[in-house]
Amino acid sequence: MTATAPTPPKPITSAKDPRFAPTLYAHVGQAESWTLDYYRRNGGYEPVKRAFAMGPDAVIEEVKKSGLRGRGGAGFATGLKWSFMPLKDGKPHYIICNADESEPGSFKDRYLLSEDPHQLIEGMIIAAFAMRASVGYIYIRGEYVHAAERVWAAIHEAREAGLLGQNILGSGFDFQLYVHRGAGAYICGEETALMNSLEGLRANPRLKPPFPAAAGLYGLPTTINNVETFCAATQILRYGADWHAGMGTEKSKGMKLFQISGPVARPGVYELPLGTTFRELIYDWAGGPLEEMKAIIPGGSSCPMLPWTDAILDTPMDYESVAAAGSMLGTGGVTLIPKADCIVNATWNLVRFYGHESCGKCTPCREGISSWMTRMYQKLVTGRGQPGDVQLILDMSDNIGGRSFCALADACLGPVLSSIKHFREEYDALATTQQPLYPARRRWKDA
């Protein structure tokens, strides 16, 4: 008789599944959760012991098997990224944590930094061991003063306990970790601009190739990951790759920190499995909207906005499903836009942000976003629109998209093009009658 293979368990795609329990945020909000004593009492620094026992190559394979993808917005396979670091090249290797959380609508990493910094430190030790890196930097957004102080204090605790420095836990592995505070520049979220800033240079993006894994910080092999990504690596080494792969969808595995802002009953950060629907996040966890909604930005300000429909609400929050719906999952920063708000006004707020944050290195961004696009939106929302203005914005977008040195200009075009696509009538009203269909409840000052 031929034995029948057991049916694999159904993946967890809802936080309401009794098998799901938060891990990344399990200790956020607990008393003294940022201290080494608390962290070790709750199993801290046991995963790194497992990593040392496995060996560097096996750690990378474990992360690959887990299906972890970068949580900073791009969603690139983390294990594959780690494998790009050259081996036995005789050069120092660096790892960097991008904690410059500046994307409007994103605020998940600040709580990991301030409430559970040892989880991040442990994840960076594991990653450094896997990639043979001897030095790491945590690049923290300048405004996160409290978080930076907590992280520095945790690093000092770890050094005194022999968890950083020479011969960590008797493994023979040496690793030093430092904090660098940014100066409030959104462009530093771009990895090569971040490295320039870290080196004391102007925060302009670099030409790629060479990519950071070949020539990064100080021209040496470097890998950069997000705070949440490093913390997820800690949990993968704690519970195993199969545990992580048992959550989410076929191509988007694991748990994710979703943020929700706007007029909802309980805005905040929610740790949910990938594949959870927008409806579950908004209604079951955030308590539902407080007024009628018009649009949703699914993953941070750079992601194209989507109309408020049942089909969108029932879309699973994973990389592939959100892309198929016409947007991106990004950082998981969900923002709701009320029906009573003028969509052109809301988009102008984003355009002005990107115009202000442009480094000015390339012409499409410096002239296209910071100058022309900002002025066109100001013209529309201040009652000076003319027929043809909307088409001019579309023509300018054609000349900007895909032509800037980094992705900042394209990030600005996400909300611009999607708002015109889904809410063209609001633009046309401002361009022809100079009167908004939805009078702005929040008037922006003239730029």
Side-chain angles (χ1 to χ4, degrees), residues 111-382:
Y111 299 108
L112 291 171
L113 293 166
S114 61
E115 298 288 318
D116 200 356
H118 283 284
Q119 183 181 194
L120 169 61
I121 293 170
E122 184 169 17
M124 292 192 71
I125 298 171
I126 291 168
F129 176 69
M131 291 181 275
R132 288 79 166 176
S134 56
V135 178
Y137 293 93
I138 303 175
Y139 189 104
I140 297 183
R141 176 178 172 175
E143 294 86 346
Y144 285 3
V145 178
H146 179 61
E149 292 173 348
R150 283 273 176 87
V151 173
W152 258 128
I155 288 174
H156 290 315
E157 283 186 309
R159 283 177 182 163
E160 292 175 1
L163 297 164
L164 287 173
Q166 305 296 313
N167 191 26
I168 298 174
L169 296 175
S171 64
F173 175 63
D174 304 335
F175 180 64
Q176 292 288 358
L177 186 59
Y178 305 94
V179 170
H180 182 94
R181 288 183 58 196
Y186 174 79
I187 190 64
C188 289
E190 200 280 333
E191 61 182 9
T192 61
L194 184 154
M195 290 188 293
N196 272 352
S197 173
L198 195 53
E199 291 181 16
L201 304 174
R202 181 181 173 88
N204 285 347
R206 301 176 183 177
L207 182 66
K208 293 187 287 188
F211 293 95
L217 187 66
Y218 305 118
L220 295 168
T222 306
T223 293
I224 303 179
N225 280 123
N226 171 261
V227 174
E228 186 185 348
T229 309
F230 282 122
C231 290
T234 300
Q235 301 306 326
I236 290 168
L237 268 292
R238 182 190 303 276
Y239 298 110
D242 291 339
W243 162 81
H244 187 269
M247 294 179 284
T249 63
E250 181 181 356
K251 295 182 179 180
S252 300
K253 299 183 182 299
M255 62 289 184
K256 177 86 181 75
L257 296 176
F258 292 98
Q259 309 113 100
I260 182 166
S261 54
V264 290
R266 294 188 295 274
V269 185
Y270 296 89
E271 183 178 346
L272 307 171
L274 284 161
T276 301
T277 64
F278 286 105
R279 188 183 298 277
E280 180 178 331
L281 169 65
I282 296 167
Y283 286 91
D284 295 345
W285 300 106
L290 300 178
E291 57 184 292
E292 191 175 357
M293 290 294 122
K294 174 189 294 182
I296 179 172
I297 300 177
S301 63
S302 59
C303 300
M305 61 181 69
L306 298 169
W308 184 268
T309 65
D310 285 337
I312 296 302
L313 290 175
D314 291 328
T315 298
M317 294 187 296
D318 62 69
Y319 296 99
E320 290 72 33
S321 297
V322 178
S327 188
M328 300 181 293
L329 187 63
T331 62
V334 178
T335 304
L336 307 188
I337 301 177
K339 184 175 182 180
D341 279 4
C342 174
I343 205 73
V344 186
N345 244 318
T347 307
W348 184 38
N349 198 32
L350 296 176
V351 169
R352 289 191 304 144
F353 169 80
Y354 287 106
H356 179 269
E357 294 297 330
S358 170
C359 74
K361 180 171 183 173
C362 66
T363 303
C365 201
R366 182 182 64 249
E367 303 298 331
I369 300 297
S370 296
S371 179
W372 278 96
M373 191 68 74
T374 305
R375 288 156 58 189
M376 288 301 298
Y377 269 87
Q378 182 186 7
K379 181 182 177 185
L380 285 173
V381 301
T382 54

Side-chain angles (χ1 to χ4, degrees), residues 84-104:
F84 291 159
M85 287 285 268
L87 304 179
K88 300 178 181 179
D89 59 347
K91 297 179 180 178
H93 292 180
Y94 294 102
I95 64 168
I96 300 174
C97 174
N98 185 348
D100 190 62
E101 188 175 45
S102 303
E103 177 88 351

Side-chain angles (χ1 to χ4, degrees), residues 397-418:
S397 299
D398 287 340
N399 287 316
I400 295 170
R403 292 172 172 82
S404 59
F405 200 83
C406 75
L408 190 144
D410 289 320
C412 179
L413 295 183
V416 168
L417 295 176
S418 59

